[in-house]
Amino acid sequence: MNKINKSIIVLELLIVLFVIASCVKDDDYSVPDISINEPNIPQDKITTFKAIKSLYEQAVNGGNSTVVIDDDDDLYIEGYVISSDKSGNFFEELIIQNKTDASNPDSDPRLGFKIDINVSSLSDTYQFGQKVFVKISGLTIGESNGVITIGKGDAVSVKQIQASEYKDIVIRSNEIATITPKIAELSALNEWDKNTLIQLNNMQLNRFEVGLTYASESFDEFDGLRLLESCDSGISMILQTSTFADFKSLIVPQGKGTVVGVFSRDFGDDFNVLILNSTRDINLDANERCDPIELSCGLATTVGSGNLFMEDFESQKNNKPIVIDGWTNYIEAGTVAWEGYSSTSSNASLGRSARFQPASSGDDSSIGWLITPAINLDTQEGETLRFKTSNSLADSSFMEVLYSLDWDGNEANITSATWGVLSDAYVVKDTDSFVPWFNSGSVDLSCATGTMHIAFKYTGNGQDTFDGVYELDDISVDYVE
């Protein structure tokens, strides 16, 4: 066969193949249909988040750690996805809440649950704002890391839903809703806000953490924990970022502004945290900051042999307000004062100590000041301050060590006086262990002049996410003779 005939045969074969391909329907070669068939869930099979939370609370009150939903009848809850693992800050979990708008006037409160799923890249299946129906029949409701969690399991623990079944349990709708976060005051957050999307306004990164990355410092083992503080109230919230987040190495913005994230608890259920979906949710762009006045003379290398006063609270009565000549125990808000405290438990006192504990007070706000006698800084040299602090599950409550050079000693003028922060003093942190006592260091006061008062100020309230306990002891002001 010559070359010309071979070419003709090849050409004829190509034409035949083209004709065959032309007869194939376009749909056979088109992009697969990935649209969602809207699930048909009967309304009488849908229960509320509130009802599920109540079932869990009844189980806990009955001495159980979980509740297993009866598998005899189909039962669903309807919610909206408010988490995304696209940036790596959530892992093998979906956070859903029951409302799209925090101001929704429906009778049920806004509530959220975590769904524990043994699958990564869940955002490929469930978009932020996507409406889902969760078939909860046969599932277990319990608590994981301090938040209500849905999964498989038993009467003891919640376990993950597996990859082979999760799409039949968490069923997608076509609806992608706009989620409006709750604009929150830190002091008003409570149990009902866990697993929901919140917005914090007029926030900034704590001045001692300016310049840090989200989660790539040498001390960030599993998560980066950065302290955000309110410019309105001074109250703080921990920003938690996974060391697997794709933005972990970015510097946290250093201005002030808004932050939107999921309100949750840390891994050990020791304190409240805010978790971002991405860096688009943090807008600390304003140039100005709201840092307080500070006095920083540094830490003294030695302590003088002279002593102006030393207070160890041994003379105080247990669970009674502190009463000491020359000291001021002032209640700015609420009904709780600094009180005497003695305990030999795991969080033992140092003999007898001072304590601020607003738990179960019912107060919407608890602010208490314990103020030292006046210190004349012009009559001696080398003045230093020392004290010890401890806490018990401080949550978002906090204690500050303040000073004033213009307070006149009158209680009525405490809040109108000028108070700054003794920034060199170490005060126990929310992230510190609750067992030990922490030394403040020998805080040098000698770079100031005039008459100084030092205040130990507690801010919290009677709510369970803001009612932490702070203990104080061994306050000493010394000088060089």
Side-chain angles (χ1 to χ4, degrees):
M1 185 180 292
N2 59 37
K3 292 183 179 180
I4 295 175
N5 289 335
K6 287 181 180 179
S7 298
I8 292 172
I9 291 171
V10 172
L11 181 60
E12 288 175 345
L13 286 172
L14 290 173
I15 293 171
V16 170
L17 290 173
F18 176 77
V19 171
I20 292 172
S22 300
C23 294
V24 177
K25 293 181 179 179
D26 289 343
D27 288 348
D28 292 340
Y29 285 97
S30 62
V31 176
D33 182 6
I34 59 172
S35 63
I36 303 168
N37 293 322
E38 188 66 25
N40 183 19
I41 311 294
Q43 284 298 310
D44 62 352
K45 299 295 185 181
I46 300 175
T47 189
T48 65
F49 279 49
K50 185 178 180 181
I52 296 302
K53 186 174 188 292
S54 295
L55 281 176
Y56 169 64
E57 289 173 342
Q58 290 171 21
V60 171
N61 292 335
N64 298 312
S65 56
T66 68
V67 60
V68 180
I69 306 299
D70 195 341
D71 199 16
D72 292 341
D73 194 15
D74 289 346
L75 194 63
Y76 298 81
I77 55 173
E78 175 186 316
Y80 299 86
V81 176
I82 60 166
S83 64
S84 172
D85 58 14
K86 191 169 293 185
S87 295
N89 209 24
F90 288 90
F91 180 68
E92 296 188 350
E93 61 185 353
L94 280 181
I95 313 297
I96 64 170
Q97 67 181 42
N98 60 344
K99 293 183 179 182
T100 60
D101 188 345
S103 62
N104 191 322
D106 291 348
S107 57
D108 274 353
R110 189 187 61 136
L111 282 170
F113 296 140
K114 179 172 79 171
I115 306 175
D116 210 357
I117 304 174
N118 187 21
V119 175
S120 59
S121 300
L122 286 167
S123 58
D124 292 345
T125 305
Y126 306 100
Q127 298 182 49
F128 181 88
Q130 187 150 35
K131 183 178 179 179
V132 294
F133 297 90
V134 183
K135 186 177 181 180
I136 60 172
S137 304
L139 296 184
T140 300
I141 316 297
E143 193 169 289
S144 173
N145 309 129
V147 296
I148 297 179
T149 302
I150 299 174
K152 288 301 186 91
D154 48 35
V156 178
S157 62
V158 182
K159 299 175 183 177
Q160 289 186 310
I161 299 169
Q162 295 305 307
S164 60
E165 57 185 344
Y166 77 99
K167 289 184 180 179
D168 295 324
I169 293 174
V170 185
I171 303 167
R172 295 180 297 172
S173 163
N174 282 309
E175 180 183 346
I176 307 296
T178 298
I179 307 296
T180 303
K182 174 182 177 179
I183 298 176
E185 295 292 338
L186 283 173
S187 60
L189 292 171
N190 57 47
E191 289 290 316
W192 297 88
D193 293 303
K194 290 179 181 178
N195 286 327
T196 67
L197 198 70
I198 65 170
Q199 176 176 318
L200 304 175
N201 291 336
N202 209 19
M203 301 292 292
Q204 69 176 22
L205 184 68
N206 180 272
R207 63 194 183 280
F208 296 117
E209 299 187 351
V210 166
L212 294 184
T213 60
Y214 283 93
S216 65
E217 306 302 325
S218 60
F219 48 80
D220 295 326
E221 187 173 0
F222 300 108
D223 295 294
L225 304 175
R226 305 293 179 258
L227 193 63
L228 296 174
E229 58 190 11
S230 168
C231 288
D232 297 322
S233 65
I235 300 170
S236 299
M237 166 72 79
I238 299 290
L239 179 68
Q240 176 178 294
T241 305
S242 169
T243 53
F244 292 97
D246 63 11
F247 57 88
K248 68 176 184 178
S249 297
L250 298 179
I251 302 293
V252 181
Q254 301 174 19
K256 66 178 181 179
T258 63
V259 187
V260 175
V262 175
F263 179 53
S264 189
R265 298 282 290 176
D266 75 296
F267 181 79
D269 188 22
D270 293 321
F271 46 84
N272 299 327
V273 298
L274 190 72
I275 306 174
L276 301 177
N277 281 301
S278 76
T279 54
R280 292 190 301 272
D281 295 328
I282 184 166
N283 297 288
L284 306 180
D285 300 329
N287 292 327
E288 71 274 14
R289 289 177 53 87
C290 58
D291 296 328
I293 302 169
E294 293 183 56
L295 178 66
S296 178
C297 309
L299 294 176
T301 56
T302 59
V303 175
S305 58
N307 180 260
L308 293 179
F309 60 82
M310 193 278 177
E311 185 54 61
D312 60 9
F313 303 106
E314 293 300 319
S315 65
Q316 299 303 296
K317 296 180 179 179
N318 267 359
N319 306 316
K320 298 294 183 182
I322 299 291
V323 179
I324 307 172
D325 286 344
W327 289 69
T328 302
N329 190 356
Y330 174 65
I331 300 174
E332 180 183 338
T335 59
V336 179
W338 283 92
E339 63 182 13
Y341 157 72
S342 180
S343 173
T344 57
S345 68
S346 59
N347 187 27
S349 59
L350 299 176
R352 185 165 283 115
S353 305
R355 174 178 69 175
F356 203 100
Q357 178 180 263
S360 303
S361 66
D363 294 334
D364 292 332
S365 177
S366 297
I367 303 176
W369 301 64
L370 187 61
I371 308 176
T372 69
I375 305 166
N376 189 336
L377 299 172
D378 298 331
T379 58
Q380 64 279 311
E381 295 182 352
E383 300 92 346
T384 58
L385 166 71
R386 293 176 293 158
F387 59 89
K388 296 176 181 177
T389 53
S390 182
N391 68 16
S392 301
L393 301 177
D395 291 328
S396 294
S397 64
F398 64 102
M399 191 184 86
E400 301 169 280
V401 182
L402 308 177
Y403 75 97
S404 178
L405 297 172
D406 65 3
W407 181 49
D408 60 5
N410 186 340
E411 281 193 12
N413 299 326
I414 289 176
T415 57
S416 61
T418 303
W419 294 91
V421 175
L422 291 175
S423 55
D424 297 315
Y426 188 85
V427 179
V428 62
K429 297 179 180 179
D430 202 357
T431 51
D432 287 328
S433 170
F434 70 91
V435 175
W437 284 78
F438 293 86
N439 291 309
S440 63
S442 297
V443 182
D444 192 350
L445 306 176
S446 63
C447 64
T449 59
T451 300
M452 176 184 289
H453 289 87
I454 298 171
F456 301 88
K457 180 185 177 183
Y458 175 96
T459 301
N461 64 27
Q463 296 182 18
D464 51 10
T465 60
F466 200 38
D467 64 357
V469 179
Y470 277 84
E471 294 107 358
L472 172 67
D473 212 340
D474 293 349
I475 303 169
S476 181
V477 175
D478 305 290
Y479 64 95
V480 174
E481 292 185 299

